Amino acid sequence: MYKKYVAAIMLFLLLLLPANAQAYKHGYTRKTDEIYAIARTELAIYTDDVGSEIACYAPQYTGICVINRYGEWYEIEYKSKKYGTQVGWITKGDFYSDCLIYDGREKQAIADGDYELSYGLTVCPAEKDQWTEHLVAREATLSLHFTYVGDGNYIISHSDSQEYIQGDVEKKDKQHAFWGPKKTARAFQVERNGAFFFIQDTISKRYLVMSNTGVIYYDKVCSSFWKIKRYNRAITEESLRVFVQYDAEWANHYYGPGKNPEPYQNVFCTSGCGIFSIVNAIHSLTGIYPNPYELANYAVKEEYRILDSGTDTRIFKAVAKDFGWKYGFSYDGSSGDIEKLIKKLNQGDVAMVHVPGHYMAVVAYNQKTKQFLMLDSHYLPKRGTNAYGDWVPKKVLNGDGQDGNLEGHEFFFYKTERPVREENKKE
């Protein structure tokens, strides 16, 4: 077991980037013994680590998870349409040439970190998807820190006292403290309904609510919602991540109207950079995970999607107008000036940037190193980027380096609904 664990860690260090070289400093690293990737082309999967027999040919866009390494062979898990999750082997050469690595962690409803919560009640109509239309919002009342523990669950602490919310006790005659230490903290399910969230105790299944006098308690009826907003950009070490357009969950999703005229083309993997630059920008700004399918359907409906070409830049302002209320951000203009970009990032904004043939997100600027943190949803050797964020020097955005493939032509800015705290303006 120990040998296997060590081998997996070595594999992670070796495979953090494909062979296109490590051009820039990573934005973050994943401390894990599993490496997620997708097959760019049909992939031969063998029955053992000596290549005795080919078990199958996995089709393009099959997601794989590398779980071990023996010499020139990688042991993987992959999903078969006929048999479900299977285990097999691929060659090291095929992995480097035919696979793209990405962060395969669970998608969180909100990123880890501190949030401001506003509370509201509903009139309780019959249909769940109508609840948000009847919500009565109140003033902000709570500052809480959310820490993800898996399967959609979080433990929740007070941002100031660092005490954790304890589990629900339904018996009225039993003494119970609402706040307590981390070791006895209860896990809570956090789910989004439109622009709002509900928070449910995972054991009692009752919901976290608040009285008119500001007392927090539990209720078996989900007649309440929380508006969750972030104080500052969600780009701390604990919450930064890159959502890639070639994630196996959606890589082959058709991005266009009607029926796809060209299978394996006009899909997220090949054409979704505009959508995923927005996803990465919103998540980095607010900590809330936006639905890429929803944004893509909107782009198609409003004709911002240009089939066989890409996404019209008008979408950036339009998304802020139509989805800003839902995810807690607004449009803050555009510019082709890098000095303006630096100013906006220092004020707490994030940006989408148009580089030659591609869109990316720029989410931070380091005053000391004079570098920008860029999130590329589809790394390529010509850009020298990777799937874990890149700290890129100013000269590269000016077109000097990487043959001009990261030259920023125009920047589109998003800002939060409230000012960034002064202590968080410094990188």
Side-chain angles (χ1 to χ4, degrees):
M1 181 69 182
Y2 176 75
K3 181 178 180 181
K4 180 177 180 179
Y5 180 78
V6 172
I9 294 297
M10 291 178 64
L11 173 62
F12 172 71
L13 295 174
L14 288 170
L15 301 184
L16 186 58
L17 284 177
N20 59 8
Q22 301 172 20
Y24 308 110
K25 180 181 177 182
H26 302 335
Y28 66 108
T29 57
R30 290 286 299 118
K31 297 178 181 178
T32 177
D33 55 355
E34 296 177 331
I35 308 300
Y36 292 87
I38 193 172
R40 295 191 300 169
T41 61
E42 188 176 71
L43 189 65
I45 299 179
Y46 295 82
T47 57
D48 53 39
D49 60 348
V50 293
S52 300
E53 182 182 354
I54 293 180
C56 69
Y57 287 94
Q60 185 178 11
Y61 302 139
T62 295
I64 67 172
C65 179
V66 179
I67 57 177
N68 217 330
R69 177 176 70 95
Y70 293 96
E72 296 298 308
W73 291 87
Y74 294 154
E75 186 179 15
I76 65 167
E77 287 183 346
Y78 65 99
K79 287 187 177 180
S80 164
K81 287 186 178 180
K82 187 175 182 180
Y83 301 108
T85 300
Q86 299 289 299
V87 176
W89 298 82
I90 62 175
T91 67
K92 178 180 178 180
D94 284 349
F95 181 86
Y96 276 116
S97 62
D98 298 333
C99 297
L100 290 169
I101 298 170
Y102 64 93
D103 187 343
R105 285 178 293 172
E106 294 178 69
K107 280 77 173 177
Q108 300 175 208
I110 58 175
D112 288 12
D114 292 302
Y115 293 85
E116 181 181 89
L117 276 69
S118 303
Y119 178 69
L121 295 175
T122 67
V123 183
C124 300
E127 298 298 327
K128 179 180 177 181
D129 60 1
Q130 297 176 9
W131 286 7
T132 55
E133 298 176 8
H134 298 267
L135 187 132
V136 180
R138 298 178 181 174
E139 293 298 321
T141 55
L142 280 177
S143 295
L144 299 177
H145 185 94
F146 289 76
T147 303
Y148 194 65
V149 294
D151 296 326
N153 300 328
Y154 296 77
I155 54 175
I156 306 171
S157 60
H158 196 283
S159 297
D160 295 325
S161 70
Q162 280 81 55
E163 287 188 303
Y164 286 79
I165 300 180
Q166 305 297 290
D168 176 25
V169 177
E170 295 191 56
K171 295 181 179 179
K172 296 182 179 180
D173 59 346
K174 188 172 182 179
Q175 294 292 326
H176 177 66
F178 188 85
W179 300 97
K182 182 177 181 179
K183 64 181 179 180
T184 55
R186 178 66 55 82
F188 292 86
Q189 186 82 17
V190 177
E191 292 189 21
R192 187 173 72 204
N193 181 33
F196 304 92
F197 295 81
F198 63 81
I199 303 172
Q200 182 182 37
D201 186 294
T202 55
I203 294 181
S204 74
K205 304 302 180 183
R206 298 206 299 172
Y207 299 92
L208 199 66
V209 298
M210 180 177 287
S211 70
N212 290 328
T213 58
V215 177
I216 308 173
Y217 66 101
Y218 294 94
D219 194 335
K220 63 181 179 180
V221 179
C222 182
S223 60
S224 60
F225 287 92
W226 298 90
K227 178 70 172 178
I228 298 180
K229 295 196 298 182
R230 222 183 146 94
Y231 288 132
N232 56 347
R233 288 175 303 194
I235 53 173
T236 63
E237 184 177 350
E238 63 183 354
S239 59
L240 176 64
R241 72 176 296 171
V242 180
F243 295 98
V244 294
Q245 59 201 77
Y246 55 86
D247 188 317
E249 180 179 329
W250 51 55
N252 203 29
H253 176 74
Y254 175 45
Y255 178 31
K259 185 178 179 181
N260 190 354
E262 194 174 354
Y264 296 105
Q265 297 297 319
N266 293 309
V267 293
F268 273 167
C269 186
T270 62
S271 310
C273 63
I275 296 300
F276 283 89
S277 69
I278 296 173
V279 170
N280 283 318
I282 293 175
H283 181 265
S284 297
L285 182 67
T286 69
I288 297 175
Y289 167 56
N291 187 330
Y293 301 104
E294 179 182 48
L295 298 178
N297 291 340
Y298 170 80
V300 172
K301 179 182 177 181
E302 300 298 325
E303 299 184 346
Y304 297 121
R305 167 65 172 142
I306 307 170
L307 209 60
D308 296 319
S309 178
T311 305
D312 194 300
T313 56
R314 293 178 300 152
I315 193 175
F316 299 123
K317 184 176 182 179
V319 161
K321 179 182 178 181
D322 291 334
F323 293 92
W325 64 273
K326 184 173 185 177
Y327 297 117
F329 73 98
S330 59
Y331 189 67
D332 200 22
S334 66
S335 176
D337 183 6
I338 290 185
E339 295 304 319
K340 183 71 171 290
L341 171 66
I342 293 173
K343 180 179 179 180
K344 291 286 190 181
L345 292 175
N346 286 338
Q347 291 174 344
D349 282 18
V350 295
M352 289 73 60
V353 58
H354 182 214
V355 300
H358 192 51
Y359 293 112
M360 300 171 63
V362 188
V363 299
Y365 179 70
N366 189 305
Q367 296 277 18
K368 294 181 179 179
T369 64
K370 308 298 182 184
Q371 292 184 323
F372 299 89
L373 180 55
M374 302 185 70
L375 310 185
D376 190 353
S377 63
H378 198 315
Y379 65 81
L380 288 176
K382 68 179 183 180
R383 288 193 286 270
T385 52
N386 77 99
Y388 297 86
D390 298 273
W391 284 103
V392 176
K394 179 179 177 180
K395 66 178 183 179
V396 173
L397 276 182
N398 274 325
D400 183 11
Q402 297 302 129
D403 296 325
N405 285 298
L406 284 180
E407 181 179 3
H409 293 165
E410 190 169 9
F411 308 100
F412 304 87
F413 305 107
Y414 287 163
K415 64 181 179 180
T416 55
E417 294 179 341
R418 57 170 291 158
V420 175
R421 287 178 169 180
E422 288 296 324
E423 63 268 27
N424 293 314
K425 288 185 180 182
K426 299 178 181 179
E427 298 300 332

